[in-house]
Coordinates of all heavy atoms in Angstrom, one line a residue:
Chain B
R447 N 8.2 6.0 -107.4 CA 8.7 5.4 -106.2 C 9.4 4.0 -106.5 O 10.1 3.4 -105.7 CB 7.6 5.1 -105.2 CG 6.8 6.3 -104.8 CD 5.7 5.9 -103.8 NE 6.2 5.5 -102.5 CZ 6.3 6.4 -101.5 NH1 6.0 7.6 -101.7 NH2 6.9 6.0 -100.4
L448 N 9.2 3.6 -107.9 CA 9.9 2.4 -108.3 C 10.9 2.6 -109.4 O 10.8 3.7 -110.2 CB 8.9 1.5 -108.8 CG 8.1 0.6 -107.9 CD1 7.4 1.2 -106.8 CD2 7.0 -0.2 -108.8
P449 N 12.0 1.9 -109.3 CA 13.0 2.2 -110.4 C 12.6 1.6 -111.7 O 11.7 0.7 -111.7 CB 14.3 1.4 -110.0 CG 13.8 0.4 -109.1 CD 12.6 1.0 -108.4
P450 N 13.0 2.1 -112.9 CA 12.6 1.4 -114.1 C 13.3 0.0 -114.1 O 14.3 -0.2 -113.4 CB 13.1 2.4 -115.2 CG 14.1 3.2 -114.5 CD 13.7 3.3 -113.1
S451 N 12.8 -0.8 -115.0 CA 13.3 -2.2 -115.0 C 14.9 -2.3 -115.0 O 15.3 -3.2 -114.4 CB 12.7 -3.0 -116.3 OG 13.1 -2.3 -117.4
F452 N 15.5 -1.5 -115.9 CA 16.9 -1.7 -116.0 C 17.7 -1.2 -114.9 O 18.9 -1.3 -114.8 CB 17.5 -1.1 -117.4 CG 16.8 0.3 -117.6 CD1 17.5 1.5 -117.1 CD2 15.6 0.5 -118.1 CE1 17.1 2.8 -117.3 CE2 15.0 1.8 -118.3 CZ 15.8 2.9 -117.8
L453 N 17.1 -0.4 -113.9 CA 17.8 0.0 -112.7 C 17.4 -0.8 -111.5 O 17.9 -0.7 -110.4 CB 17.5 1.5 -112.5 CG 18.1 2.5 -113.6 CD1 17.8 3.8 -113.4 CD2 19.6 2.4 -113.6
L454 N 16.3 -1.6 -111.7 CA 15.8 -2.3 -110.6 C 16.8 -3.3 -110.1 O 17.0 -3.4 -108.9 CB 14.5 -3.1 -111.0 CG 13.8 -4.0 -110.0 CD1 13.6 -3.3 -108.7 CD2 12.5 -4.7 -110.6
E455 N 17.4 -4.1 -111.0 CA 18.5 -5.0 -110.5 C 19.6 -4.4 -109.8 O 20.2 -5.0 -108.8 CB 18.9 -5.8 -111.7 CG 19.6 -7.3 -111.3 CD 19.7 -8.2 -112.3 OE1 19.1 -8.2 -113.4 OE2 20.4 -9.2 -112.1
E456 N 20.0 -3.2 -110.1 CA 21.1 -2.6 -109.6 C 20.7 -2.2 -108.2 O 21.3 -2.4 -107.1 CB 21.4 -1.2 -110.3 CG 22.4 -0.3 -109.4 CD 22.6 1.1 -109.9 OE1 21.8 1.5 -110.8 OE2 23.7 1.7 -109.6
E457 N 19.4 -1.8 -108.0 CA 18.9 -1.4 -106.6 C 18.9 -2.5 -105.7 O 19.2 -2.6 -104.6 CB 17.4 -0.8 -106.8 CG 17.3 0.5 -107.2 CD 17.6 1.6 -106.1 OE1 17.0 1.5 -105.0 OE2 18.6 2.3 -106.4
L458 N 18.5 -3.7 -106.2 CA 18.3 -4.8 -105.5 C 19.7 -5.3 -105.0 O 20.0 -5.7 -103.8 CB 17.6 -6.1 -106.3 CG 16.2 -5.9 -106.8 CD1 15.8 -7.1 -107.6 CD2 15.3 -5.3 -105.7
H459 N 20.6 -5.3 -105.9 CA 21.9 -5.9 -105.6 C 22.6 -4.9 -104.7 O 23.2 -5.3 -103.6 CB 22.9 -6.2 -106.8 CG 24.1 -6.7 -106.5 ND1 24.3 -8.2 -106.6 CD2 25.3 -6.2 -105.9 CE1 25.5 -8.4 -106.3 NE2 26.1 -7.4 -105.8
R460 N 22.6 -3.7 -104.9 CA 23.4 -2.7 -103.9 C 22.8 -2.6 -102.5 O 23.4 -2.7 -101.5 CB 23.4 -1.3 -104.5 CG 24.3 -1.1 -105.7 CD 24.3 0.3 -106.1 NE 25.1 0.7 -107.3 CZ 26.4 1.0 -107.3 NH1 27.0 1.1 -106.2 NH2 27.0 1.3 -108.4
N461 N 21.4 -2.7 -102.4 CA 20.7 -2.8 -101.2 C 21.1 -4.0 -100.4 O 21.3 -4.0 -99.2 CB 19.2 -2.6 -101.3 CG 18.9 -1.1 -101.3 OD1 18.9 -0.5 -100.4 ND2 18.6 -0.6 -102.6
M462 N 21.2 -5.2 -101.2 CA 21.5 -6.4 -100.5 C 22.9 -6.3 -99.9 O 23.2 -6.8 -98.9 CB 21.3 -7.6 -101.5 CG 21.8 -8.8 -100.9 SD 22.3 -9.9 -102.1 CE 23.8 -9.2 -102.7
A463 N 23.8 -5.8 -100.8 CA 25.2 -5.7 -100.4 C 25.3 -4.8 -99.2 O 26.1 -5.2 -98.3 CB 26.0 -5.1 -101.5
F464 N 24.6 -3.8 -99.0 CA 24.5 -3.1 -97.7 C 24.1 -4.0 -96.5 O 24.7 -3.9 -95.5 CB 23.7 -1.8 -97.9 CG 23.6 -1.2 -96.5 CD1 24.7 -0.7 -95.9 CD2 22.4 -0.9 -96.0 CE1 24.7 -0.1 -94.6 CE2 22.2 -0.1 -94.8 CZ 23.3 0.2 -94.1
A465 N 23.1 -4.7 -96.9 CA 22.5 -5.7 -95.8 C 23.6 -6.6 -95.4 O 23.9 -7.0 -94.2 CB 21.2 -6.3 -96.2
L466 N 24.3 -7.1 -96.3 CA 25.4 -8.2 -96.0 C 26.6 -7.5 -95.2 O 27.2 -8.1 -94.4 CB 25.8 -8.9 -97.3 CG 24.8 -9.7 -98.0 CD1 25.4 -10.5 -99.2 CD2 24.1 -10.7 -97.0
Y467 N 26.9 -6.3 -95.7 CA 27.9 -5.5 -95.0 C 27.6 -5.4 -93.5 O 28.3 -5.7 -92.6 CB 28.2 -4.2 -95.5 CG 29.2 -3.4 -94.8 CD1 30.5 -3.7 -94.8 CD2 28.8 -2.5 -93.9 CE1 31.5 -3.1 -94.0 CE2 29.7 -1.6 -93.2 CZ 31.0 -2.0 -93.2 OH 31.9 -1.3 -92.4
H468 N 26.2 -5.1 -93.3 CA 25.7 -4.8 -92.0 C 25.9 -6.1 -91.2 O 26.2 -6.2 -90.1 CB 24.2 -4.3 -92.1 CG 23.5 -4.1 -90.8 ND1 22.3 -4.0 -90.6 CD2 24.0 -4.0 -89.6 CE1 21.9 -3.7 -89.5 NE2 22.9 -3.7 -88.7
A469 N 25.5 -7.2 -91.8 CA 25.6 -8.6 -91.3 C 26.9 -8.9 -90.8 O 27.1 -9.4 -89.7 CB 24.9 -9.6 -92.1
S470 N 28.0 -8.5 -91.6 CA 29.3 -8.9 -91.5 C 29.9 -8.2 -90.1 O 30.8 -8.4 -89.7 CB 30.1 -8.6 -92.5 OG 30.3 -7.2 -92.7
M471 N 29.1 -7.1 -89.6 CA 29.5 -6.4 -88.4 C 29.0 -7.3 -87.1 O 29.5 -6.9 -86.0 CB 28.9 -5.1 -88.4 CG 29.3 -4.2 -89.5 SD 30.8 -3.6 -89.4 CE 31.7 -4.6 -90.7
M472 N 28.2 -8.3 -87.3 CA 27.7 -8.9 -86.0 C 28.8 -9.7 -85.3 O 29.9 -10.0 -85.9 CB 26.6 -9.9 -86.5 CG 25.3 -9.3 -86.9 SD 23.9 -10.5 -86.9 CE 24.2 -11.5 -88.4
P473 N 28.5 -9.8 -83.9 CA 29.6 -10.5 -83.1 C 30.0 -11.8 -83.9 O 29.3 -12.7 -84.3 CB 29.0 -10.7 -81.9 CG 27.6 -10.4 -81.9 CD 27.4 -9.6 -83.2
L474 N 31.3 -12.2 -83.7 CA 31.8 -13.5 -84.1 C 32.8 -14.0 -83.0 O 33.9 -13.5 -82.9 CB 32.6 -13.2 -85.3 CG 33.0 -14.5 -86.2 CD1 31.7 -15.3 -86.5 CD2 33.7 -14.0 -87.5
L475 N 32.3 -14.9 -82.2 CA 33.0 -15.3 -81.0 C 33.9 -16.6 -81.2 O 33.6 -17.4 -82.0 CB 32.1 -15.6 -79.8 CG 31.2 -14.4 -79.3 CD1 30.2 -14.9 -78.3 CD2 32.0 -13.1 -78.9
R476 N 34.9 -16.6 -80.4 CA 35.8 -17.7 -80.5 C 36.5 -17.8 -79.0 O 36.8 -16.9 -78.5 CB 36.8 -17.5 -81.5 CG 37.9 -18.5 -81.9 CD 38.6 -18.2 -83.2 NE 39.8 -17.4 -82.7 CZ 40.9 -17.8 -82.6 NH1 41.2 -19.1 -82.7 NH2 42.0 -17.0 -82.3
I477 N 36.4 -19.1 -78.5 CA 37.2 -19.3 -77.4 C 38.7 -19.5 -77.8 O 39.0 -20.5 -78.2 CB 36.7 -20.5 -76.5 CG1 35.2 -20.3 -76.2 CG2 37.6 -20.7 -75.3 CD1 34.7 -21.5 -75.5
A478 N 39.4 -18.4 -77.6 CA 40.8 -18.3 -78.3 C 41.8 -19.1 -77.5 O 42.7 -19.7 -78.0 CB 41.1 -16.8 -78.5
D479 N 41.6 -19.1 -76.2 CA 42.9 -19.6 -75.3 C 42.1 -20.1 -74.0 O 41.4 -19.4 -73.4 CB 43.8 -18.5 -75.2 CG 45.1 -19.1 -74.5 OD1 45.5 -20.2 -75.0 OD2 45.5 -18.6 -73.4
I480 N 42.6 -21.3 -73.5 CA 42.4 -21.5 -72.1 C 43.8 -21.8 -71.5 O 44.6 -22.7 -71.8 CB 41.6 -22.8 -72.1 CG1 40.2 -22.7 -72.9 CG2 41.4 -23.3 -70.5 CD1 39.4 -23.8 -72.8
A481 N 44.2 -20.9 -70.5 CA 45.5 -21.0 -69.8 C 45.2 -21.6 -68.4 O 44.5 -21.0 -67.8 CB 46.1 -19.7 -69.9
V482 N 46.0 -22.7 -68.1 CA 45.8 -23.4 -66.9 C 47.2 -23.1 -66.0 O 48.3 -23.3 -66.4 CB 45.6 -24.8 -66.9 CG1 45.4 -25.4 -65.6 CG2 44.3 -25.0 -67.7
E483 N 47.0 -22.7 -64.8 CA 48.1 -22.3 -63.9 C 47.9 -23.1 -62.6 O 47.0 -22.8 -61.9 CB 48.3 -20.8 -63.7 CG 49.4 -20.5 -62.9 CD 49.4 -19.0 -62.3 OE1 48.7 -18.2 -63.0 OE2 49.8 -18.7 -61.2
P484 N 48.8 -23.9 -62.3 CA 48.7 -24.7 -61.0 C 49.0 -23.8 -59.8 O 49.9 -23.1 -59.9 CB 49.7 -25.8 -61.0 CG 50.3 -25.7 -62.3 CD 49.9 -24.5 -63.0
L485 N 48.2 -23.7 -58.8 CA 48.4 -23.0 -57.6 C 48.9 -24.0 -56.4 O 49.8 -23.4 -55.7 CB 47.1 -22.2 -57.2 CG 46.5 -21.2 -58.1 CD1 45.2 -20.6 -57.7 CD2 47.5 -20.0 -58.4
A486 N 48.4 -25.1 -56.4 CA 48.8 -25.9 -55.3 C 48.3 -27.3 -55.8 O 47.9 -27.5 -56.9 CB 48.2 -25.6 -54.0
D487 N 48.5 -28.3 -54.9 CA 48.0 -29.6 -55.3 C 46.6 -29.6 -55.5 O 45.7 -29.2 -54.8 CB 48.5 -30.5 -54.3 CG 47.9 -32.0 -54.7 OD1 48.1 -32.4 -55.8 OD2 47.4 -32.8 -53.8

Side-chain angles (χ1 to χ4, degrees):
Chain B
R447 303 182 72 92
L448 274 53
S451 60
F452 46 92
L453 294 176
L454 176 56
E455 195 161 348
E456 175 189 14
E457 283 285 301
L458 302 184
H459 189 96
R460 285 185 185 270
N461 276 282
M462 176 207 69
F464 172 57
L466 296 186
Y467 175 76
H468 181 190
S470 71
M471 300 286 107
M472 287 198 287
L474 195 58
L475 297 183
R476 190 168 79 98
I477 300 177
D479 185 53
I480 302 177
V482 180
E483 181 197 330
L485 296 174
D487 181 38

